[in-house]
């Protein structure tokens, strides 16, 4: 026993560097174990659940030009992670005790933030959601009742998860089967069954039924007007007049027998084009350009002509095209870089929390090709592609810097600013949802109806006004953008922002942005409150703040707040 120990001692005496290497490895392993225990030790339902595996697939039965387009299955495993912020936010944000943001992804990223948003909700809350149960239906694996996207979660499937996933993709119906399977669709293509045949409990909530064996519990989703209209994976853009030079505007076309939306969309997807335009029996493919910008929408009645291969859809005609956006990514606006030379001119992208700052950063990055920076550090935003998030805000490598700060000292640090303003009624609710549900999650009913909401409005509503007033008072060169105006007329508003930043405007790039305007931080249109959370007393106070901001804007020869802000 002594000889091996003696050999080890002599070994490290000869080469002490190896001893220190082992010590370093030991400490590293200990740190990893400590961090892992911190993640696993979270008390949230998402953390206790360990691994959630969500499988998404395209349902069968759809017409396609290629036999290789069968069931596309994507598996994801989501784990909660926590990242501490490098810089803290403004003083009033620190008082809330929140120093980090939870990340919630799209399409089934069920992290702890999601579970906190569901906390306090039970089966009775089903009637409060914007979905109506319409019955039990027969389902066939060879010919699905709902033929859109499908999702599977054999551990934690709930009615809410299925509804939100289908609503996020713009489908009209959500159906649950076998207690763990979720199907989406625009129409039901199967007969009714007895409600007693939908008798399997949901894997994630035993109090509700999630279909049965080859039986779907189907809900009709009452989507908000903001939700995109879709046909499967394609987004309906509308009815448009035939462009003057159609071959230049939409360079690829073909005649398709028994034309259907599926066939045209699939053909354009295979050709790697982002637009599919149906004109009777001919299908055109291309990208939005100044020749075909999709800015002059026609009445849908002009495109009413039944598709030969699809009874319920319109295929347009020679003069008016029905246009869909495919899943193909338009790469004309996807390249982003840091500024080629460091700049000493610091431009703020200032806003009250919940006023659309993250969305504006997404739009500016795509429109300019340059990263935006941040006064803070949010690991979830960095992981979503905002690479300027990690740079120091004074680095001079980013086109503008996100900030929620106010006050003379903080504002004077910037040479100019884009000031984002949003209706306080919407901004307060958006920030409340983010605070208690993550970037694209939702606060629970328990939070809305508890003491958190009144306290939040009491503390945050005055800051909405003081933030705007401070920037108007102390800002050196302020360009005001109203969230609602940017949403209504993205092209011209974003063009003005790019010009304010001193850059040349590329119309092709702006048109590309319009097709990818949502980014990764958009809440679905389903989970909306069915009641007004604002009390009469809250409204009196907020209305007075709106009048104050409106007067301050007009005093500086700017247009006042949009008409929908003003109290009626």
């Amino acid at each position: 026993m002594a000889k091996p120990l003696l050999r080890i001692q002599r070994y490290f005496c000869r080469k002490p560097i190896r001893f220190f290497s082992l010590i370093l490895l030991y400490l590293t392993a200990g740190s990893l174990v400590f961090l892992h225990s911190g993640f696993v030790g979270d008390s949230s339902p998402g953390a206790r659940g360990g691994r959630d595996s969500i499988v998404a697939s395209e349902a069968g039965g759809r017409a396609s030009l290629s036999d290789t387009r069968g069931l596309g299955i994507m598996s994801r495993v989501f784990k909660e992670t926590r990242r501490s912020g490098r810089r803290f936010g403004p003083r009033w944000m620190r008082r809330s005790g929140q120093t980090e943001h939870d990340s919630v992804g799209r399409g089934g990223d069920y992290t702890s933030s999601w579970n906190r948003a569901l906390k306090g909700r039970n089966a009775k809350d089903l009637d409060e959601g914007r979905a109506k149960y319409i019955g039990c239906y027969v389902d066939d694996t060879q010919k699905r009742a709902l033929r859109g996207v499908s999702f599977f979660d054999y551990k934690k499937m709930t009615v809410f998860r299925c509804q939100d996933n289908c609503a996020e993709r713009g489908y009209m119906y959500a159906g649950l089967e076998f207690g763990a399977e979720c199907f989406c669709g625009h129409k039901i293509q199967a007969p009714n069954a007895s409600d007693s045949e939908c008798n399997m409990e949901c894997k994630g909530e035993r109090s509700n039924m999630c279909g049965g064996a080859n039986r779907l519990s189907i809900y009709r989703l009452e989507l908000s007007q903001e939700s995109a209209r879709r046909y499967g994976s394609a987004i309906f853009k509308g009815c448009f007049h035939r462009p003057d030079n159609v071959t230049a505007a939409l360079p690829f076309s073909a005649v398709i027998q028994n034309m259907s939306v599926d066939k045209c969309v699939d053909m354009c997807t295979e050709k790697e084009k982002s637009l599919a335009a149906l004109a009777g029996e001919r299908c055109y493919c291309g990208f939005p350009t100044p020749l075909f910008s999709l800015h002059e929408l026609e009445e849908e009645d002009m495109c009413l002509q039944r598709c030969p291969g699809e009874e319920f859809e319109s295929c347009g005609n020679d003069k008016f095209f029905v246009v869909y956006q495919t899943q193909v990514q338009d790469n004309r606006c996807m390249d982003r870089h840091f500024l080629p030379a460091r700049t000493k001119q610091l431009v703020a992208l200032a806003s009250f929390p919940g006023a659309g700052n993250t969305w504006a950063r997404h739009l500016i990055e795509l429109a300019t090709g340059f990263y935006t920076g941040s006064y803070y550090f949010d690991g979830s935003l960095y992981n979503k592609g905002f690479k300027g998030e990690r740079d120091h805000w004074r680095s001079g490598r980013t086109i503008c810097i996100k900030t929620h700060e106010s006050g003379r000292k903080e504002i004077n640090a910037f040479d100019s600013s884009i000031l984002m303003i949003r209706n306080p009624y919407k901004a307060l609710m958006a920030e409340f949802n983010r605070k208690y549900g993550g970037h694209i999650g939702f606060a629970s009913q328990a939070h809305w109806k508890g003491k958190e909401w009144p306290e939040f409005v009491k503390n945050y509503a005055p800051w909405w006004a003081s933030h705007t007033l401070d920037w108007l008072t102390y800002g050196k060169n302020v360009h005001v953008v109203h969230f609602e105006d940017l949403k209504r007329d993205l092209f011209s508003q974003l063009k003005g922002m790019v010009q304010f930043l001193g850059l040349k405007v590329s119309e092709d790039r702006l048109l590309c942005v319009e097709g990818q305007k949502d980014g990764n931080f958009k809440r679905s249109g389903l989970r909306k409150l069915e009641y007004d959370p604002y009390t009469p007393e809250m409204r009196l106070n907020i209305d007075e703040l709106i009048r104050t901001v409106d007067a301050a804007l007009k005093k500086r020869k700017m247009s006042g707040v949009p008409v929908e802000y003003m109290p009626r």
Side-chain angles (χ1 to χ4, degrees):
M1 182 65 185
K3 288 183 177 180
L5 292 176
L6 183 61
R7 289 177 180 174
I8 293 174
Q9 182 182 5
R10 289 176 178 174
Y11 174 79
F12 285 117
C13 286
R14 287 196 303 269
K15 298 184 179 180
I17 188 64
R18 295 185 181 179
F19 175 75
F20 290 112
S21 298
L22 287 175
I23 292 294
L24 181 61
L25 289 173
Y26 175 79
L27 293 174
T28 302
S31 299
L32 292 174
V33 171
F34 176 76
L35 290 172
H36 177 71
S37 64
F39 298 151
V40 175
D42 189 2
S43 60
S44 67
R48 288 196 300 268
R51 295 191 346 169
D52 286 350
S53 180
I54 314 297
V55 182
S57 67
E58 291 290 340
R62 296 177 55 189
S64 173
L65 295 181
S66 172
D67 293 333
T68 61
R69 289 184 173 275
L71 297 178
I73 301 177
M74 300 175 292
S75 297
R76 299 179 185 173
V77 177
F78 303 103
K79 295 181 179 179
E80 178 188 9
T81 60
R82 291 191 175 189
R83 300 173 182 86
S84 61
R86 186 183 63 192
R87 295 185 288 272
F88 291 94
R91 295 181 297 276
W92 53 269
M93 291 180 71
R94 294 201 294 270
R95 279 211 295 268
S96 68
Q98 184 158 349
T99 59
E100 60 188 8
H101 304 286
D102 294 327
S103 173
V104 184
R106 297 186 67 179
D109 290 17
Y110 307 122
T111 61
S112 66
S113 298
W114 177 273
N115 286 286
R116 279 197 297 275
L118 294 181
K119 188 176 181 181
R121 300 188 64 150
N122 52 40
K124 294 180 180 178
D125 292 327
L126 275 169
D127 294 332
E128 298 180 6
R130 292 200 170 188
K132 181 179 179 181
Y133 177 73
I134 60 173
C136 184
Y137 286 78
V138 175
D139 193 33
D140 187 341
T141 55
Q142 301 300 318
K143 194 174 183 180
R144 292 291 184 186
L146 297 176
R147 300 179 184 178
V149 176
S150 60
F151 305 88
F152 308 88
D153 186 347
Y154 292 100
K155 290 185 177 180
K156 293 189 176 182
M157 176 60 75
T158 67
V159 174
F160 291 127
R161 290 183 177 183
C162 181
Q163 290 175 354
D164 275 357
N165 273 285
C166 293
E168 185 176 334
R169 289 156 178 80
Y171 287 101
M172 295 179 61
Y173 297 98
L176 296 106
E177 184 173 353
F178 284 110
E181 301 177 4
C182 174
F183 296 86
C184 310
H186 289 290
K187 56 180 177 287
I188 304 170
Q189 304 184 62
N192 287 87
S194 170
D195 282 343
S196 61
E197 296 179 41
C198 289
N199 51 15
M200 289 189 176
E201 294 180 335
C202 301
K203 298 295 184 181
E205 50 179 353
R206 300 294 182 182
S207 58
N208 286 314
M209 297 299 169
C210 285
N214 295 321
R215 296 294 183 269
L216 278 171
S217 297
I218 295 183
Y219 295 82
R220 184 172 65 242
L221 307 176
E222 299 177 12
L223 302 177
S224 70
Q225 293 181 352
E226 299 175 2
S227 300
R229 289 171 56 184
R230 293 177 181 256
Y231 188 93
S233 61
I235 300 174
F236 176 75
K237 303 299 289 185
C239 177
F240 298 90
H241 194 278
R242 176 192 178 99
D244 293 333
N245 190 344
V246 67
T247 55
L250 300 167
F252 184 86
S253 68
V255 174
I256 299 178
Q257 298 297 323
N258 293 321
M259 170 69 85
S260 68
V261 175
D262 278 338
K263 289 181 179 180
C264 185
V265 168
D266 286 344
M267 183 185 80
C268 294
T269 300
E270 290 175 357
K271 299 297 180 183
E272 297 186 348
K273 306 297 182 184
S274 66
L275 293 184
L278 292 86
E281 292 186 349
R282 182 171 289 274
C283 174
Y284 292 90
C285 307
F287 293 100
T289 66
L291 295 175
F292 194 54
S293 64
L294 306 186
H295 288 165
E296 298 178 2
L297 193 65
E298 302 286 349
E299 293 293 333
E300 289 187 31
D301 291 346
M302 306 300 293
C303 286
L304 287 181
Q305 180 172 316
R306 188 179 68 83
C307 294
E310 175 55 70
E311 181 180 357
F312 301 100
E313 298 297 332
S314 297
C315 274
N317 50 63
D318 290 339
K319 293 184 178 180
F320 295 93
F321 294 178
V322 176
V323 180
Y324 287 85
Q325 181 178 321
T326 71
Q327 284 188 314
V328 174
Q329 181 172 271
D330 187 347
N331 291 319
R332 293 176 297 170
C333 58
M334 296 309 295
D335 59 303
R336 286 170 288 174
H337 313 279
F338 288 103
L339 293 176
R342 294 180 185 269
T343 178
K344 294 182 179 180
Q345 297 293 312
L346 298 179
V347 183
L349 179 61
S351 75
F352 176 78
N357 199 304
T358 300
W359 181 51
R361 290 180 66 186
H362 166 74
L363 298 176
I364 290 171
E365 289 195 1
L366 295 188
T368 65
F370 296 116
Y371 288 122
T372 60
S374 177
Y375 194 83
Y376 322 104
F377 172 69
D378 187 332
S380 66
L381 293 181
Y382 179 82
N383 292 333
K384 289 290 184 179
F386 292 97
K387 300 306 180 185
E389 191 78 16
R390 184 169 284 181
D391 259 35
H392 190 275
W393 65 279
R394 286 185 178 273
S395 70
R397 298 204 306 160
T398 55
I399 193 65
C400 61
I401 299 109
K402 165 189 174 177
T403 179
H404 298 311
E405 300 289 328
S406 57
R408 176 179 293 183
K409 180 180 178 181
E410 289 79 5
I411 294 173
N412 285 341
F414 295 95
D415 301 288
S416 58
S417 61
I418 296 174
L419 177 60
M420 290 281 297
I421 305 176
R422 187 181 186 183
N423 186 333
Y425 288 106
K426 300 292 186 181
L428 289 169
M429 293 177 70
E431 175 61 10
F432 189 74
N433 275 321
R434 187 206 61 79
K435 184 175 181 181
Y436 290 101
H439 276 294
I440 62 170
F442 293 86
S444 69
Q445 294 290 335
H447 288 127
W448 287 107
K449 295 181 177 180
K451 63 180 182 180
E452 293 92 343
W453 171 243
E455 186 70 20
F456 178 87
V457 173
K458 178 182 177 182
N459 293 331
Y460 276 63
W463 284 319
W464 174 84
S466 65
H467 181 277
T468 301
L469 296 175
D470 280 357
W471 279 94
L472 291 176
T473 302
Y474 304 124
K476 299 170 186 175
N477 180 20
V478 181
H479 177 72
V480 174
V481 176
H482 292 283
F483 175 90
E484 290 75 14
D485 292 340
L486 182 61
K487 197 171 181 181
R488 268 192 298 265
D489 188 8
L490 186 143
F491 188 90
S492 62
Q493 290 289 325
L494 187 56
K495 181 178 180 179
M497 295 165 74
V498 173
Q499 290 173 334
F500 179 80
L501 293 169
L503 299 175
K504 184 180 178 180
V505 175
S506 166
E507 288 197 9
D508 281 344
R509 198 169 184 110
L510 289 179
L511 290 170
C512 171
V513 176
E514 285 188 313
Q516 304 176 73
K517 61 183 179 181
D518 289 339
N520 292 321
F521 292 94
K522 177 180 171 62
R523 292 182 176 89
S524 72
L526 175 63
R527 189 168 299 184
K528 303 291 184 181
L529 289 178
E530 291 291 326
Y531 62 91
D532 183 0
Y534 293 99
T535 65
E537 182 181 0
M538 290 177 184
R539 286 192 169 273
L540 283 174
N541 294 332
I542 295 173
D543 288 350
E544 185 59 34
L545 295 172
I546 292 174
R547 294 188 188 96
T548 302
V549 170
D550 183 62
L553 288 168
K554 290 178 179 177
K555 183 179 179 180
R556 288 159 179 80
K557 309 300 182 183
M558 301 177 180
S559 59
V561 299
V563 64
E564 58 262 38
Y565 288 27
M566 296 302 293
R568 291 187 291 270

